[in-house]
């Protein structure tokens, strides 16, 4: 468990799923009160959904930080944040049922996070994902989760990884030129440019890609980078 280097810490957590569901992973980055990162961890989840990955990232983060330390948590998942800050009270009041009377998805994870939040000071901050000049801690966590989702091998400080993950700057600059709104079709990026997909879609090869996957512009729209020179 991380003990407080300061009276307050800042952290970011993120999850990734390559296919939703597909190969998935969680990641977090912890920084001091000035936002200087000093520890990060990422772990594989096998096949899981993006929501499971996002919630697991938050759980792993909270388990790793001393509950006596005030914590600011930055996240780009509105689902995970709303689950524990807005919807949780109503779910518990309704016997872990949604307003539509259906069982709450990922109940075990949400309940574990609820227990970890009890009696501690945690401020949640929503930060949009994949923004040029966006939140640097979120970018680190996103990169770590994405890499481990592909590799399915744990990484981070505890695994001997002294260096921080390095977000791919080229993708961010391409996002600036396209307005960061890549979809499965349309867009104004030059052919062959690669960016992170904002939404899930389907390549002209017939196989899908997930939100946050790297995609490339081709004459058919958007798809896998390896398919950008393939004939439709």
């Amino acid at each position: 468990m991380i003990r407080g280097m300061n009276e307050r810490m800042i952290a970011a957590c993120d999850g990734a799923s390559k296919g939703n569901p597909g190969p998935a992973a969680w990641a977090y980055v912890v920084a001091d009160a000035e936002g200087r990162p000093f520890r990060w961890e990422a772990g594989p989840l096998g096949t899981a959904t993006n929501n499971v990955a996002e919630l697991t990232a938050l759980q792993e983060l909270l388990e790793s930080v001393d509950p006596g330390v005030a914590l600011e948590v930055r996240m780009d998942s509105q689902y995970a944040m709303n689950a524990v800050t807005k919807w949780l009270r109503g779910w518990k009041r309704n016997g872990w049922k949604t307003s539509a009377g259906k069982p709450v998805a990922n109940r075990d994870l949400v309940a574990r996070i609820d227990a970890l939040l009890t009696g501690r000071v945690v401020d949640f901050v929503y930060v949009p994902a994949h923004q040029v000049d966006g939140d640097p801690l979120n970018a680190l966590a996103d990169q770590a989760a994405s890499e481990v989702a592909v590799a399915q091998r744990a990484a981070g400080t505890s695994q001997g990884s002294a260096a921080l993950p390095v977000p791919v700057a080229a993708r961010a600059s391409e996002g600036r030129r396209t307005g960061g709104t890549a979809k499965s079709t349309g867009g104004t990026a030059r052919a062959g440019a690669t960016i992170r997909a904002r939404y899930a879609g389907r390549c002209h090869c017939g196989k899908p890609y997930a939100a946050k996957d790297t995609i490339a512009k081709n004459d058919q729209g958007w798809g896998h980078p390896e398919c950008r020179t393939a004939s439709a």
Side-chain angles (χ1 to χ4, degrees), residues 1-3 9 11-16 24-30 39-46 51-67 71 73 75 80 84 108-117 120 122 124 141 145 148 154-156 158-159:
M1 178 174 292
I2 301 172
R3 294 288 175 179
M9 289 184 185
C13 59
D14 204 357
W26 57 268
Y28 66 75
V29 179
V30 182
R39 180 179 175 87
W40 69 282
E41 301 292 344
L45 289 171
N51 286 343
V52 166
E54 298 278 6
L55 288 170
T56 302
L58 177 57
Q59 174 191 311
E60 294 283 348
L61 169 63
L62 294 174
E63 288 179 339
S64 73
V65 176
D66 184 342
L71 183 65
V73 178
M75 305 179 67
V84 299
D108 291 346
L109 278 168
V110 175
R112 175 59 180 158
I113 293 169
D114 181 33
L116 289 166
L117 290 171
R120 65 194 297 174
V122 179
F124 287 93
V148 172
S158 68
Q159 303 296 316

Side-chain angles (χ1 to χ4, degrees), residues 83-105:
V84 299
T85 63
K86 293 183 179 181
W87 306 329
L88 178 59
R89 183 176 299 178
W91 287 344
K92 293 166 69 176
R93 185 174 57 247
N94 294 336
W96 289 98
K97 296 291 181 65
T98 67
S99 58
K102 297 181 179 179
V104 171

Side-chain angles (χ1 to χ4, degrees), residues 14-17 20-22 24 48-55 77 79 211-212:
D14 204 357
S17 175
N20 199 27
T49 65
N50 192 62
N51 286 343
V52 166
E54 298 278 6
L55 288 170
S77 170
Y79 162 77
K212 298 187 180 182

